[in-house]
């Protein structure tokens, strides 16, 4: 099921996003006593960090994984985990143990293998594919999502939960990323875009339906949240 929600402003994008996250967290906690959410960087990170303190939840039941992560030290400005930590920990009582993080001291390939082991530990009874509760995704101007870039061999990886990339066209070059079998097995995923600068990309993804990495995201439930400026070319 795919749905598009258009709201008036960036502020309303933030509200719609965290309302959706709150809804999914409540049902997951009620059914499975925990909520596992995949995080991304970029504007998705900005929106979530801005909005999450607006809701209430049993935060101890939340677990975060990363849809992709840059293989950089934690004190590097490009580290997605550190961005969330710096922007959320002072507002919400999260702790490091609630985040499944990569080991940035390893080369990308070993970091991906290590990260997959950590994710498998979250689902010890699952020998096939996990069903993450919700993935928060973003997309770049080239249509990439996670660290899955147009024309890259990683688009065709099906035998791993997590893959590595050392030649990312967007710096930094070394990253780890979830693969499509994992992404598309999630219960829900959400993209949130705001601003006229996203209008051309949104048109290519939703109207033209170009074969871009972001249009290959097909979980059971997919929500696109757009402000009017981002939706202006639909």
């Amino acid at each position: 099921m795919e749905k598009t929600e258009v709201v008036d402003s960036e502020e309303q994008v933030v509200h719609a996003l965290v309302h959706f996250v709150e809804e999914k967290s409540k049902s997951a906690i009620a059914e499975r006593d925990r909520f596992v959410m995949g995080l991304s960087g970029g504007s998705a990170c900005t929106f979530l960090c801005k909005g999450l303190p607006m809701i209430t939840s049993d935060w101890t039941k939340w677990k975060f994984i990363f849809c992709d992560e840059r293989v950089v030290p934690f004190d590097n400005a490009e580290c997605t985990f550190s961005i969330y930590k710096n922007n959320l920990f002072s507002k919400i009582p999260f702790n490091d143990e609630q985040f499944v993080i990569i080991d940035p001291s390893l080369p990308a390939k070993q970091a991906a293998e290590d990260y997959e082991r950590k994710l498998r530990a979250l689902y010890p009874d699952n020998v096939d594919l996990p069903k993450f509760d919700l993935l928060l995704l973003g997309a770049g101007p080239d249509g990439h999502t996670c660290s899955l870039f147009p024309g890259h061999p990683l688009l065709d990886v099906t035998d791993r939960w997590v893959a590595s990339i050392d030649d990312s066209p967007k710096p930094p070059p070394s990253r780890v990323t979830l693969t499509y079998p994992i992404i598309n097995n999630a219960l829900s995923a959400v993209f949130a875009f705001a601003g006229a600068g996203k209008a051309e990309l949104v048109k290519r993804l939703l109207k033209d339906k170009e074969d871009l990495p972001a249009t290959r995201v097909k979980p059971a439930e997919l929500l696109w949240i757009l402000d009017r400026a981002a939706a202006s070319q639909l």
Side-chain angles (χ1 to χ4, degrees):
M1 180 181 71
E2 185 169 338
K3 180 184 172 188
T4 302
E5 182 176 346
V6 180
V7 296
D8 287 332
S9 65
E10 180 175 319
E11 183 182 1
Q12 289 186 11
V13 168
V14 172
H15 281 274
L17 174 62
V18 295
H19 173 74
F20 187 68
V21 172
E22 182 178 31
E23 183 183 277
K24 296 303 167 189
S25 66
K26 282 181 176 176
S27 60
I29 291 168
E31 292 170 22
R32 295 177 290 282
D33 201 38
R34 73 171 182 180
F35 174 57
V36 182
M37 181 177 182
L39 300 173
S40 297
S43 56
C45 172
T46 303
F47 296 156
L48 189 69
C49 289
K50 194 179 291 185
L52 207 55
M54 299 177 189
I55 67 175
T56 55
S57 182
D58 181 352
W59 302 115
T60 64
K61 307 284 189 183
W62 289 52
K63 195 82 175 179
F64 295 103
I65 61 111
F66 289 87
C67 300
D68 69 329
E69 177 61 286
R70 294 86 179 263
V71 184
V72 294
F74 293 129
D75 60 359
N76 187 299
E78 296 280 2
C79 175
T80 306
F81 165 62
S82 295
I83 295 170
Y84 280 95
K85 182 173 181 175
N86 293 339
N87 285 282
L88 282 180
F89 279 32
S90 63
K91 303 168 189 171
I92 296 174
F94 291 134
N95 59 59
D96 286 12
E97 287 68 39
Q98 288 175 263
F99 290 74
V100 183
I101 54 178
I102 71 162
D103 182 347
S105 70
L106 298 172
K109 185 175 185 294
Q110 284 73 36
E113 293 167 352
D114 177 68
Y115 199 61
E116 181 166 327
R117 282 192 292 272
K118 290 172 180 174
L119 294 184
R120 287 182 180 275
L122 280 182
Y123 295 86
D125 301 325
N126 192 304
V127 293
D128 189 18
L129 293 172
K131 284 191 177 293
F132 297 128
D133 295 308
L134 175 62
L135 301 181
L136 173 63
L137 299 171
D142 60 355
H144 84 267
T145 190
C146 301
S147 284
L148 300 167
F149 292 91
H152 197 279
L154 284 191
L155 299 180
D156 300 318
V157 171
T158 58
D159 61 344
R160 281 163 280 164
W161 291 17
V162 183
S164 62
I165 179 170
D166 275 311
D167 58 351
S168 167
K170 180 181 179 182
S174 294
R175 299 154 175 252
V176 303
T177 182
L178 298 184
T179 59
Y180 280 117
I182 299 297
I183 294 167
N184 289 333
N185 207 50
L187 295 174
S188 300
V190 58
F191 288 92
F193 296 129
K198 289 288 189 180
E200 175 65 22
L201 172 64
V202 168
K203 174 182 176 288
R204 293 173 67 195
L205 296 175
L206 296 184
K207 186 177 181 181
D208 302 338
K209 299 193 182 298
E210 281 188 39
D211 182 20
L212 296 168
T215 54
R216 297 189 186 189
V217 173
K218 305 281 185 190
E221 179 184 28
L222 178 59
L223 176 63
W224 301 82
I225 302 173
L226 314 169
D227 73 352
R228 296 205 179 278
S232 61
Q233 294 187 34
L234 294 181

